[in-house]
mmCIF file of all heavy atoms in Angstrom:
data_model
loop_
_atom_site.group_PDB
_atom_site.id
_atom_site.type_symbol
_atom_site.label_atom_id
_atom_site.label_comp_id
_atom_site.label_asym_id
_atom_site.label_seq_id
_atom_site.Cartn_x
_atom_site.Cartn_y
_atom_site.Cartn_z
ATOM 1 N N SER T 722 106.038 95.259 99.131
ATOM 2 C CA SER T 722 104.854 95.583 98.342
ATOM 3 C C SER T 722 104.923 94.855 97.013
ATOM 4 O O SER T 722 105.984 94.416 96.588
ATOM 5 C CB SER T 722 104.732 97.090 98.108
ATOM 6 O OG SER T 722 105.745 97.532 97.240
ATOM 7 N N THR T 723 103.775 94.763 96.396
ATOM 8 C CA THR T 723 103.703 94.163 95.070
ATOM 9 C C THR T 723 102.583 94.835 94.302
ATOM 10 O O THR T 723 101.635 95.354 94.900
ATOM 11 C CB THR T 723 103.489 92.638 95.156
ATOM 12 O OG1 THR T 723 103.599 92.082 93.853
ATOM 13 C CG2 THR T 723 102.154 92.286 95.766
ATOM 14 N N ALA T 724 102.720 94.863 93.004
ATOM 15 C CA ALA T 724 101.706 95.477 92.152
ATOM 16 C C ALA T 724 100.676 94.432 91.757
ATOM 17 O O ALA T 724 100.977 93.246 91.673
ATOM 18 C CB ALA T 724 102.360 96.057 90.903
ATOM 19 N N LEU T 725 99.455 94.907 91.542
ATOM 20 C CA LEU T 725 98.396 94.014 91.103
ATOM 21 C C LEU T 725 97.508 94.739 90.109
ATOM 22 O O LEU T 725 97.325 95.952 90.199
ATOM 23 C CB LEU T 725 97.571 93.503 92.284
ATOM 24 C CG LEU T 725 96.825 94.533 93.117
ATOM 25 C CD1 LEU T 725 95.450 93.994 93.471
ATOM 26 C CD2 LEU T 725 97.604 94.803 94.392
ATOM 27 N N PRO T 726 96.991 94.014 89.126
ATOM 28 C CA PRO T 726 96.126 94.644 88.134
ATOM 29 C C PRO T 726 94.747 94.923 88.726
ATOM 30 O O PRO T 726 94.247 94.170 89.553
ATOM 31 C CB PRO T 726 96.046 93.608 87.017
ATOM 32 C CG PRO T 726 96.293 92.308 87.692
ATOM 33 C CD PRO T 726 97.227 92.603 88.836
ATOM 34 N N ALA T 727 94.160 96.019 88.287
ATOM 35 C CA ALA T 727 92.820 96.380 88.756
ATOM 36 C C ALA T 727 91.869 96.580 87.583
ATOM 37 O O ALA T 727 90.900 97.310 87.686
ATOM 38 C CB ALA T 727 92.894 97.644 89.607
ATOM 39 N N GLY T 728 92.173 95.966 86.455
ATOM 40 C CA GLY T 728 91.318 96.093 85.292
ATOM 41 C C GLY T 728 91.870 97.081 84.289
ATOM 42 O O GLY T 728 93.014 97.516 84.383
ATOM 43 N N LEU T 729 91.028 97.440 83.331
ATOM 44 C CA LEU T 729 91.428 98.371 82.276
ATOM 45 C C LEU T 729 90.693 99.693 82.441
ATOM 46 O O LEU T 729 89.527 99.717 82.837
ATOM 47 C CB LEU T 729 91.116 97.774 80.898
ATOM 48 C CG LEU T 729 91.794 96.441 80.580
ATOM 49 C CD1 LEU T 729 91.319 95.918 79.225
ATOM 50 C CD2 LEU T 729 93.295 96.566 80.619
ATOM 51 N N GLY T 730 91.378 100.781 82.135
ATOM 52 C CA GLY T 730 90.761 102.099 82.176
ATOM 53 C C GLY T 730 89.887 102.328 80.956
ATOM 54 O O GLY T 730 89.797 101.485 80.052
ATOM 55 N N SER T 731 89.250 103.484 80.887
ATOM 56 C CA SER T 731 88.354 103.795 79.772
ATOM 57 C C SER T 731 89.085 103.831 78.435
ATOM 58 O O SER T 731 88.481 103.645 77.388
ATOM 59 C CB SER T 731 87.647 105.130 80.033
ATOM 60 O OG SER T 731 88.603 106.166 80.158
ATOM 61 N N ASP T 732 90.413 104.051 78.473
ATOM 62 C CA ASP T 732 91.207 104.048 77.240
ATOM 63 C C ASP T 732 91.721 102.663 76.883
ATOM 64 O O ASP T 732 92.461 102.491 75.921
ATOM 65 C CB ASP T 732 92.374 105.023 77.373
ATOM 66 C CG ASP T 732 93.279 104.715 78.553
ATOM 67 O OD1 ASP T 732 93.010 103.723 79.288
ATOM 68 O OD2 ASP T 732 94.255 105.455 78.763
ATOM 69 N N GLY T 733 91.343 101.640 77.678
ATOM 70 C CA GLY T 733 91.748 100.274 77.401
ATOM 71 C C GLY T 733 93.106 99.892 77.946
ATOM 72 O O GLY T 733 93.557 98.765 77.762
ATOM 73 N N LEU T 734 93.783 100.820 78.633
ATOM 74 C CA LEU T 734 95.100 100.519 79.192
ATOM 75 C C LEU T 734 94.965 100.062 80.642
ATOM 76 O O LEU T 734 94.039 100.466 81.349
ATOM 77 C CB LEU T 734 96.006 101.751 79.091
ATOM 78 C CG LEU T 734 96.359 102.170 77.662
ATOM 79 C CD1 LEU T 734 97.144 103.471 77.653
ATOM 80 C CD2 LEU T 734 97.146 101.075 76.958
ATOM 81 N N PRO T 735 95.904 99.223 81.117
ATOM 82 C CA PRO T 735 95.799 98.665 82.470
ATOM 83 C C PRO T 735 95.905 99.726 83.573
ATOM 84 O O PRO T 735 96.614 100.717 83.429
ATOM 85 C CB PRO T 735 96.999 97.716 82.563
ATOM 86 C CG PRO T 735 97.409 97.456 81.168
ATOM 87 C CD PRO T 735 97.036 98.668 80.382
ATOM 88 N N ILE T 736 95.191 99.459 84.650
ATOM 89 C CA ILE T 736 95.283 100.261 85.865
ATOM 90 C C ILE T 736 95.909 99.362 86.922
ATOM 91 O O ILE T 736 95.488 98.213 87.090
ATOM 92 C CB ILE T 736 93.900 100.738 86.341
ATOM 93 C CG1 ILE T 736 93.289 101.665 85.287
ATOM 94 C CG2 ILE T 736 93.999 101.439 87.695
ATOM 95 C CD1 ILE T 736 91.854 102.062 85.592
ATOM 96 N N GLY T 737 96.918 99.876 87.611
ATOM 97 C CA GLY T 737 97.598 99.068 88.616
ATOM 98 C C GLY T 737 97.408 99.620 90.012
ATOM 99 O O GLY T 737 97.308 100.829 90.219
ATOM 100 N N LEU T 738 97.334 98.725 90.962
ATOM 101 C CA LEU T 738 97.325 99.063 92.381
ATOM 102 C C LEU T 738 98.566 98.443 93.000
ATOM 103 O O LEU T 738 99.235 97.624 92.381
ATOM 104 C CB LEU T 738 96.082 98.494 93.069
ATOM 105 C CG LEU T 738 94.737 99.039 92.621
ATOM 106 C CD1 LEU T 738 93.608 98.277 93.312
ATOM 107 C CD2 LEU T 738 94.639 100.528 92.919
ATOM 108 N N GLN T 739 98.858 98.833 94.217
ATOM 109 C CA GLN T 739 99.918 98.155 94.943
ATOM 110 C C GLN T 739 99.423 97.804 96.330
ATOM 111 O O GLN T 739 98.620 98.527 96.913
ATOM 112 C CB GLN T 739 101.197 98.982 95.004
ATOM 113 C CG GLN T 739 101.104 100.264 95.790
ATOM 114 C CD GLN T 739 102.436 100.995 95.816
ATOM 115 O OE1 GLN T 739 103.500 100.402 95.673
ATOM 116 N NE2 GLN T 739 102.382 102.299 95.999
ATOM 117 N N ALA T 740 99.876 96.665 96.803
ATOM 118 C CA ALA T 740 99.550 96.207 98.145
ATOM 119 C C ALA T 740 100.837 96.235 98.948
ATOM 120 O O ALA T 740 101.826 95.609 98.574
ATOM 121 C CB ALA T 740 98.982 94.793 98.100
ATOM 122 N N GLY T 741 100.823 96.996 100.016
ATOM 123 C CA GLY T 741 101.983 97.087 100.889
ATOM 124 C C GLY T 741 101.659 96.463 102.225
ATOM 125 O O GLY T 741 100.522 96.520 102.695
ATOM 126 N N GLY T 742 102.661 95.863 102.825
ATOM 127 C CA GLY T 742 102.465 95.213 104.110
ATOM 128 C C GLY T 742 103.485 95.667 105.131
ATOM 129 O O GLY T 742 104.391 96.441 104.831
ATOM 130 N N ALA T 743 103.334 95.145 106.321
ATOM 131 C CA ALA T 743 104.256 95.462 107.409
ATOM 132 C C ALA T 743 105.635 94.872 107.105
ATOM 133 O O ALA T 743 105.766 93.910 106.342
ATOM 134 C CB ALA T 743 103.719 94.897 108.720
ATOM 135 N N ALA T 744 106.632 95.465 107.713
ATOM 136 C CA ALA T 744 107.994 94.963 107.547
ATOM 137 C C ALA T 744 108.050 93.476 107.866
ATOM 138 O O ALA T 744 107.416 93.010 108.818
ATOM 139 C CB ALA T 744 108.944 95.737 108.464
ATOM 140 N N TYR T 745 108.758 92.741 107.046
ATOM 141 C CA TYR T 745 108.977 91.305 107.194
ATOM 142 C C TYR T 745 107.720 90.463 106.981
ATOM 143 O O TYR T 745 107.687 89.311 107.343
ATOM 144 C CB TYR T 745 109.610 90.987 108.556
ATOM 145 C CG TYR T 745 110.802 91.853 108.847
ATOM 146 C CD1 TYR T 745 110.750 92.839 109.816
ATOM 147 C CD2 TYR T 745 111.973 91.720 108.105
ATOM 148 C CE1 TYR T 745 111.831 93.662 110.056
ATOM 149 C CE2 TYR T 745 113.064 92.536 108.337
ATOM 150 C CZ TYR T 745 112.983 93.508 109.314
ATOM 151 O OH TYR T 745 114.061 94.319 109.543
ATOM 152 N N ARG T 746 106.697 91.048 106.378
ATOM 153 C CA ARG T 746 105.479 90.290 106.077
ATOM 154 C C ARG T 746 105.228 90.278 104.563
ATOM 155 O O ARG T 746 104.115 90.489 104.101
ATOM 156 C CB ARG T 746 104.289 90.884 106.820
ATOM 157 C CG ARG T 746 104.431 90.730 108.318
ATOM 158 C CD ARG T 746 103.127 90.882 109.022
ATOM 159 N NE ARG T 746 103.341 90.800 110.451
ATOM 160 C CZ ARG T 746 102.707 91.548 111.325
ATOM 161 N NH1 ARG T 746 101.810 92.417 110.932
ATOM 162 N NH2 ARG T 746 102.957 91.406 112.602
ATOM 163 N N THR T 747 106.267 89.993 103.827
ATOM 164 C CA THR T 747 106.207 89.987 102.372
ATOM 165 C C THR T 747 105.172 88.993 101.858
ATOM 166 O O THR T 747 104.415 89.298 100.944
ATOM 167 C CB THR T 747 107.594 89.652 101.796
ATOM 168 O OG1 THR T 747 108.541 90.568 102.336
ATOM 169 C CG2 THR T 747 107.600 89.737 100.285
ATOM 170 N N ARG T 748 105.128 87.829 102.442
ATOM 171 C CA ARG T 748 104.203 86.800 101.961
ATOM 172 C C ARG T 748 102.753 87.260 102.050
ATOM 173 O O ARG T 748 101.940 86.921 101.189
ATOM 174 C CB ARG T 748 104.379 85.510 102.737
ATOM 175 C CG ARG T 748 105.641 84.792 102.380
ATOM 176 C CD ARG T 748 105.719 83.477 103.107
ATOM 177 N NE ARG T 748 106.985 82.844 102.798
ATOM 178 C CZ ARG T 748 107.352 81.696 103.282
ATOM 179 N NH1 ARG T 748 106.558 81.033 104.108
ATOM 180 N NH2 ARG T 748 108.515 81.181 102.968
ATOM 181 N N LEU T 749 102.412 88.019 103.085
ATOM 182 C CA LEU T 749 101.035 88.493 103.225
ATOM 183 C C LEU T 749 100.679 89.434 102.077
ATOM 184 O O LEU T 749 99.602 89.331 101.491
ATOM 185 C CB LEU T 749 100.836 89.182 104.573
ATOM 186 C CG LEU T 749 99.432 89.708 104.844
ATOM 187 C CD1 LEU T 749 98.407 88.572 104.839
ATOM 188 C CD2 LEU T 749 99.399 90.430 106.188
ATOM 189 N N ALA T 750 101.579 90.347 101.726
ATOM 190 C CA ALA T 750 101.321 91.266 100.608
ATOM 191 C C ALA T 750 101.150 90.480 99.310
ATOM 192 O O ALA T 750 100.246 90.755 98.522
ATOM 193 C CB ALA T 750 102.450 92.285 100.477
ATOM 194 N N PHE T 751 102.005 89.491 99.084
ATOM 195 C CA PHE T 751 101.897 88.692 97.866
ATOM 196 C C PHE T 751 100.620 87.861 97.866
ATOM 197 O O PHE T 751 99.946 87.747 96.857
ATOM 198 C CB PHE T 751 103.111 87.783 97.710
ATOM 199 C CG PHE T 751 104.369 88.502 97.311
ATOM 200 C CD1 PHE T 751 105.573 87.843 97.314
ATOM 201 C CD2 PHE T 751 104.364 89.827 96.936
ATOM 202 C CE1 PHE T 751 106.744 88.487 96.950
ATOM 203 C CE2 PHE T 751 105.513 90.494 96.569
ATOM 204 C CZ PHE T 751 106.706 89.812 96.575
ATOM 205 N N TYR T 752 100.293 87.271 99.002
ATOM 206 C CA TYR T 752 99.079 86.456 99.086
ATOM 207 C C TYR T 752 97.839 87.308 98.812
ATOM 208 O O TYR T 752 96.930 86.870 98.122
ATOM 209 C CB TYR T 752 98.964 85.790 100.459
ATOM 210 C CG TYR T 752 97.665 85.041 100.615
ATOM 211 C CD1 TYR T 752 97.475 83.812 99.995
ATOM 212 C CD2 TYR T 752 96.615 85.585 101.334
ATOM 213 C CE1 TYR T 752 96.273 83.130 100.105
ATOM 214 C CE2 TYR T 752 95.409 84.913 101.450
ATOM 215 C CZ TYR T 752 95.240 83.700 100.839
ATOM 216 O OH TYR T 752 94.048 83.043 100.938
ATOM 217 N N PHE T 753 97.823 88.514 99.353
ATOM 218 C CA PHE T 753 96.673 89.395 99.166
ATOM 219 C C PHE T 753 96.375 89.621 97.695
ATOM 220 O O PHE T 753 95.211 89.683 97.297
ATOM 221 C CB PHE T 753 96.898 90.733 99.868
ATOM 222 C CG PHE T 753 95.818 91.733 99.559
ATOM 223 C CD1 PHE T 753 94.615 91.692 100.242
ATOM 224 C CD2 PHE T 753 96.000 92.681 98.569
ATOM 225 C CE1 PHE T 753 93.603 92.585 99.939
ATOM 226 C CE2 PHE T 753 94.986 93.577 98.260
ATOM 227 C CZ PHE T 753 93.796 93.531 98.956
ATOM 228 N N THR T 754 97.396 89.739 96.854
ATOM 229 C CA THR T 754 97.176 90.049 95.437
ATOM 230 C C THR T 754 96.409 88.948 94.715
ATOM 231 O O THR T 754 95.826 89.197 93.671
ATOM 232 C CB THR T 754 98.492 90.326 94.695
ATOM 233 O OG1 THR T 754 99.301 89.145 94.714
ATOM 234 C CG2 THR T 754 99.239 91.490 95.309
ATOM 235 N N ARG T 755 96.386 87.756 95.261
ATOM 236 C CA ARG T 755 95.611 86.674 94.644
ATOM 237 C C ARG T 755 94.107 86.939 94.734
ATOM 238 O O ARG T 755 93.355 86.531 93.859
ATOM 239 C CB ARG T 755 95.905 85.349 95.330
ATOM 240 C CG ARG T 755 97.294 84.854 95.135
ATOM 241 C CD ARG T 755 97.453 83.548 95.869
ATOM 242 N NE ARG T 755 98.820 83.096 95.807
ATOM 243 C CZ ARG T 755 99.263 82.041 96.435
ATOM 244 N NH1 ARG T 755 98.448 81.315 97.168
ATOM 245 N NH2 ARG T 755 100.522 81.697 96.330
ATOM 246 N N LEU T 756 93.678 87.591 95.793
ATOM 247 C CA LEU T 756 92.245 87.793 96.013
ATOM 248 C C LEU T 756 91.601 88.661 94.933
ATOM 249 O O LEU T 756 90.618 88.238 94.325
ATOM 250 C CB LEU T 756 92.009 88.358 97.418
ATOM 251 C CG LEU T 756 92.592 87.508 98.560
ATOM 252 C CD1 LEU T 756 92.439 88.222 99.888
ATOM 253 C CD2 LEU T 756 91.954 86.140 98.587
ATOM 254 N N PRO T 757 92.117 89.856 94.645
ATOM 255 C CA PRO T 757 91.510 90.632 93.542
ATOM 256 C C PRO T 757 91.653 89.927 92.191
ATOM 257 O O PRO T 757 90.767 90.017 91.353
ATOM 258 C CB PRO T 757 92.286 91.948 93.550
ATOM 259 C CG PRO T 757 92.891 92.043 94.905
ATOM 260 C CD PRO T 757 93.124 90.629 95.356
ATOM 261 N N ALA T 758 92.761 89.225 91.993
ATOM 262 C CA ALA T 758 92.949 88.516 90.714
ATOM 263 C C ALA T 758 91.857 87.474 90.509
ATOM 264 O O ALA T 758 91.393 87.264 89.388
ATOM 265 C CB ALA T 758 94.322 87.859 90.674
#
């Protein structure tokens, strides 16, 4: 899994999400985080 930013909350602080993938598919989880960014 990897964390990804999802913007700022109403208080101006970051909100984070995480993308988790299937075992041994680390690259897919990392690649996915590029899309919301």
Side-chain angles (χ1 to χ4, degrees):
S722 69
T723 187
L725 62 139
L729 301 176
S731 60
D732 58 0
L734 294 174
I736 296 173
L738 296 175
Q739 66 179 335
Y745 311 109
R746 294 199 183 141
T747 305
R748 287 184 183 180
L749 181 61
F751 287 171
Y752 175 76
F753 173 81
T754 63
R755 293 180 185 175
L756 304 174

